[in-house]
Amino acid sequence: MIQGNRDGFGSRLGVIAAAAGSAVGLGNIWRFPYVTGENGGGAFLLVYVLFILVIGVPVMLSELALGRRSQRNALGAFKKLAPGTWWHIIGMMGIAAAFFILAFYTTVSGWTLEYLFLSIGNSFEGQSKEELNVTFEEFRNNGYLPLLWQLMFMLFTALIVYKGIKNGIEKYTKLLMPALLLIIIVLGIRAVTLPGSGAGLTFLFQPDFSKINADVVLQALGQAFFSLSIGMGALITYGSYIKSNEDLGKTAFSVTLTDTLVAVLAGVAIFPAVFAFGIEPQSGPSLVFITLPMIFQEMTGGYFFALIFFVLLVIAALTSTISVLEVVVAYVSEELNMSRRKATILSAGSISVLGILCTLSQGPMPEIHIGNRNLFDILEFASANIMLPLGGLLIVLFAGWYMKREDLYDEISNKETLKIHLIWAYYFIIRFLAPVAIALVFLNGLGFFGMFGEGDFS
Ligand code: PFF
């Protein structure tokens, strides 16, 4: 049942599919492997998993609870729960982060469409590592093709969001997520059975603590926030569509588990091959677009595996872009009193303008840059490593210190009808541990204490 006349999720499976769909995305399959590769492998994974458990789950639960309690969008939630205060700047920052993320995210989503078509046409066959590199660079530097794919991707996203929660987001994520899970499991199994997969698994799972420095810790925190879709109100927005009898704690836990599992599986699918073919694990954002086609064309059944991998990437990206666009659309339609249709067109259109600049900065117009980072890199770095952790910090401060403890408990326990086991741990984390940890990692990353050596914030 939908409360009032507000649209909402119809089933428990729908909630999980949509929230896990938001969390599992390019962050897991494209970003996680390359950030792990750049930050030393196993040690990074360890810090990342620690952040997921200690900070990720409590922040996610807080977001879902704030959303369901307020029945509003990411900004409206704070206006309703804390009227007349400045807390709604958390929402403003969240909307800005959604803009930034969707801009660079649709760039990469566009790449996934191109690669899906290349794999359908069996275009990787017979190409060497160098040739695959050239294929990728030529595509990226093409003046219109990446833009075309990007806009197409935004259009698909907007069409689903426009249909609303139950008939749009829930319907499609319920269909796409099981397919995604199946594909990533098949690919993981295939990768570990490749000859020479051992070195990759060692890189991923054997921590080398000398690799940990301030920057690695900050990157792990940023990746944890980005991957779980927390810190910008996506899960406040989704939380507001969840029925009053759903268990939010269980939802947060299942989503986190699914997300982490898919990230690790993506690592397992990619690193063995990276090492088996002598590719640099630090090769950055292009890693999956060069490495994987390389592996596929060398292995039996490669055509089929390449195809399902790029289908996987497209699905993963789409179920995430809809959640980011929904943050903006829910805000625009509810706070600025606009129809869903108009709000969707306005939001998708304005984000696309920034998105186009972002795509151009990655290819034909590298002059769109500040310092040594182009616009794409700036938006990626600023949103994942700065805005999301900062948003998460403010969200736990709000839930832990501003909200009445009884109200928060009431929401998490469904009016005390659920038995909540670790509630003391949750309070301790959101009031003390998470804020202190986020602030420390953050300031240290900015170079304030010089713990674990120099951070690289430039
Ligand atoms: N979690 C998504 C991913 O891992 O690809 C990205 C994302 C979606 C970030 C939604 C933030 C967000 F609100």
Side-chain angles (χ1 to χ4, degrees):
M1 275 255 307
I2 297 160
Q3 286 134 351
N5 56 5
R6 211 162 183 271
D7 195 0
F9 294 118
S11 68
R12 176 162 307 172
L13 189 69
V15 174
I16 305 269
S22 170
V24 174
L26 294 176
N28 304 60
I29 305 164
W30 160 74
R31 196 172 193 272
F32 173 78
Y34 98 72
V35 176
T36 305
E38 287 179 341
N39 288 285
F44 175 86
L45 178 63
L46 199 73
V47 182
Y48 169 76
V49 170
L50 195 79
F51 283 146
I52 291 274
L53 288 177
V54 179
I55 299 178
V57 180
V59 173
M60 188 182 286
L61 178 56
S62 307
E63 279 201 31
L64 293 173
L66 296 180
R68 192 171 66 178
R69 181 118 201 127
S70 64
Q71 293 290 300
R72 298 277 284 277
N73 58 82
L75 191 140
F78 294 99
K79 280 196 174 158
K80 173 133 178 227
L81 298 173
T85 67
W86 54 268
W87 284 105
H88 64 272
I89 63 162
I90 303 176
M92 283 182 188
M93 202 169 70
I95 313 281
F99 249 80
F100 289 3
I101 289 178
L102 205 50
F104 79 80
Y105 207 93
T106 46
T107 301
V108 184
S109 305
W111 299 351
T112 66
L113 284 180
E114 164 78 6
Y115 270 68
L116 177 58
F117 277 85
L118 288 180
S119 58
I120 291 173
N122 203 11
S123 315
F124 309 127
E125 192 164 77
Q127 289 202 17
S128 66
K129 194 167 70 184
E130 291 68 32
E131 284 165 334
L132 284 167
N133 214 336
V134 171
T135 303
F136 183 69
E137 286 311 323
E138 275 182 356
F139 163 66
R140 224 170 30 167
N141 283 306
N142 181 311
Y144 71 96
L145 207 53
L147 296 180
L148 195 77
W149 288 130
Q150 174 179 37
L151 294 177
M152 190 99 104
F153 206 94
M154 184 63 105
L155 182 71
F156 295 151
T157 307
L159 284 175
I160 295 176
V161 168
Y162 159 66
K163 283 177 182 281
I165 310 308
K166 196 185 280 153
N167 299 323
I169 296 176
E170 176 171 359
K171 188 169 140 193
Y172 288 95
T173 50
K174 249 163 68 179
L175 206 79
L176 296 172
M177 286 308 286
L180 181 150
L181 291 176
L182 189 73
I183 296 174
I184 190 81
I185 291 171
V186 171
L187 287 170
I189 295 174
R190 180 70 194 104
V192 291
T193 53
L194 278 175
S197 65
L201 295 177
T202 307
F203 177 77
L204 182 62
F205 291 117
Q206 207 174 73
D208 169 1
F209 292 103
S210 67
K211 296 263 168 62
I212 296 184
N213 62 32
D215 193 45
V216 169
V217 177
L218 180 70
Q219 294 275 358
L221 184 74
Q223 177 60 22
F225 271 82
F226 186 80
S227 189
L228 292 177
S229 300
I230 53 179
M232 60 165 244
L235 294 171
I236 294 181
T237 311
Y238 273 11
S240 75
Y241 304 129
I242 298 180
K243 282 193 254 173
S244 56
N245 61 352
E246 299 291 353
D247 185 335
L248 297 182
K250 268 196 194 146
T251 305
F253 207 72
S254 333
V255 172
T256 306
L257 202 69
T258 312
D259 188 68
T260 311
L261 217 68
V262 174
V264 172
L265 269 171
V268 166
I270 289 164
F271 286 112
V274 167
F275 281 82
F277 293 105
I279 292 164
E280 278 294 300
Q282 296 94 329
S283 51
S286 59
L287 184 68
V288 300
F289 292 95
I290 295 169
T291 314
L292 287 170
M294 177 79 209
I295 308 155
F296 293 137
Q297 53 134 337
E298 298 254 337
M299 70 194 202
T300 344
Y303 175 79
F304 167 74
F305 286 111
L307 197 64
I308 60 170
F309 176 76
F310 287 108
V311 169
L312 166 77
L313 266 184
V314 170
I315 295 176
L318 188 62
T319 54
S320 296
T321 51
I322 55 184
S323 73
V324 189
L325 185 60
E326 178 60 25
V327 171
V328 184
V329 168
Y331 160 73
V332 172
S333 63
E334 286 176 13
E335 302 302 309
L336 310 178
N337 259 326
M338 210 178 268
S339 71
R340 192 167 185 85
R341 185 192 161 92
K342 266 199 193 143
T344 308
I345 297 174
L346 184 74
S347 311
S350 50
I351 295 170
S352 293
V353 175
L354 188 63
I356 287 172
L357 293 175
C358 216
T359 303
L360 291 175
S361 82
Q362 266 288 330
M365 294 174 74
E367 59 273 25
I368 313 179
H369 72 99
I370 302 176
N372 55 3
R373 289 179 198 270
N374 62 31
L375 183 66
F376 179 101
D377 295 339
I378 292 168
L379 296 186
E380 188 191 354
F381 184 85
S383 55
N385 294 350
I386 300 179
M387 296 169 91
L388 298 187
L390 203 61
L393 172 66
L394 294 172
I395 287 168
V396 283
L397 288 177
F398 181 82
W401 296 93
Y402 182 87
M403 284 278 284
K404 280 209 202 92
R405 200 177 161 126
E406 305 84 77
D407 289 348
L408 194 59
Y409 186 68
D410 191 65
E411 200 54 53
I412 290 172
S413 66
N414 294 354
K415 299 202 185 336
E416 300 187 27
T417 55
L418 296 175
K419 188 142 179 40
I420 304 294
H421 294 290
L422 290 169
I423 193 76
W424 60 269
Y426 168 68
Y427 276 128
F428 175 72
I429 290 176
I430 61 167
R431 298 194 82 175
F432 302 105
L433 190 66
V436 171
I438 298 172
L440 278 180
V441 173
F442 208 58
L443 295 174
N444 192 42
L446 285 165
F448 275 81
F449 315 119
M451 271 192 294
F452 315 119
E454 276 296 292
D456 168 25
F457 229 81
S458 56

